Amino acid sequence: MADAGWEWSDAWVFVSVVIGGGSGRHLRAANTRRPEGVALADLLATAAHLNDSIPTRDDVEVAVHRLSGAGLVTVTDGFFGLTPMGERLWRGRPRTGLATAVDTIHGVLNRSIRPGPLGSMTWTLAEDDYAAAVREYTVRYLAP
C-alpha cells in the first residue's frame, strides 16, 4: 500500500473505531462513551455491520498505523480510541447515513489530511490476537 493517499479500508477502520466506541451515537458527549475505547472483537463486529465482512489483520494493522500517524486514533492496552483530532474530523464531516459513512469519511480524509507513515508506531497486531478477536466476534455475534 502506498502512503500517498488513504485507502478505503483506512476509513472503514476509522468509522468502526468511532461507532464501536460509542462516539457516533447521537453526538454523545465524551463523558458518556466507553472511556477505554473499543476492543478488537467489537471493532470487527462494527466493521462487519458496515460492510458485511471483517477487515483482515493486515487491513487493521496498516489502517491503525496510518490513522495513528496522522493523529486520529490511539491504541492503549488493546483498546482503540479516537484522539481529539479524530473526534473533530468525525464531528465535522458532512452528515450522511450509516450506509455511506465510510465513503464519506474516505473522501474527508483524502481532502483534509495526509496519512501517517507506515511504521510510525511500534504497535503490531499479532496473528494470535487477531485470531482470538475473530473467534470472540464469531461466538458473540454470529453464534445462534
Side-chain angles (χ1 to χ4, degrees):
M1 268 183 214
D3 285 347
W6 293 97
E7 298 292 332
W8 189 88
S9 57
D10 299 331
W12 185 25
V13 169
F14 179 80
V15 173
S16 297
V17 170
V18 169
I19 294 171
S23 299
R25 292 193 197 126
H26 311 297
L27 301 177
R28 290 174 107 173
N31 63 355
T32 65
R33 290 187 232 119
R34 297 178 187 174
E36 72 279 2
V38 61
L40 182 56
D42 296 322
L43 186 151
L44 296 178
T46 303
H49 180 72
L50 292 168
N51 193 43
D52 292 327
S53 65
I54 62 171
T56 66
R57 189 200 71 76
D58 288 339
D59 286 339
V60 174
E61 186 174 278
V62 168
V64 168
H65 276 257
R66 292 161 57 92
L67 292 162
S68 175
L72 300 173
V73 301
T74 62
V75 182
T76 306
D77 296 328
F79 289 91
F80 303 84
L82 284 181
T83 65
M85 185 175 170
E87 178 96 19
R88 284 191 300 278
L89 182 88
W90 176 253
R91 300 282 184 219
R93 80 196 184 290
R95 298 289 186 240
T96 62
L98 184 61
T100 58
V102 177
D103 292 330
T104 299
I105 285 295
H106 187 226
V108 168
L109 286 169
N110 277 313
R111 286 189 303 274
S112 63
I113 190 169
R114 291 182 51 99
L118 295 178
S120 60
M121 63 187 294
T122 58
W123 175 81
T124 59
L125 179 51
E127 290 283 346
D128 291 347
D129 292 341
Y130 178 78
V134 170
R135 280 191 304 277
E136 182 180 343
Y137 158 73
T138 302
V139 168
R140 285 179 38 204
Y141 296 102
L142 300 180

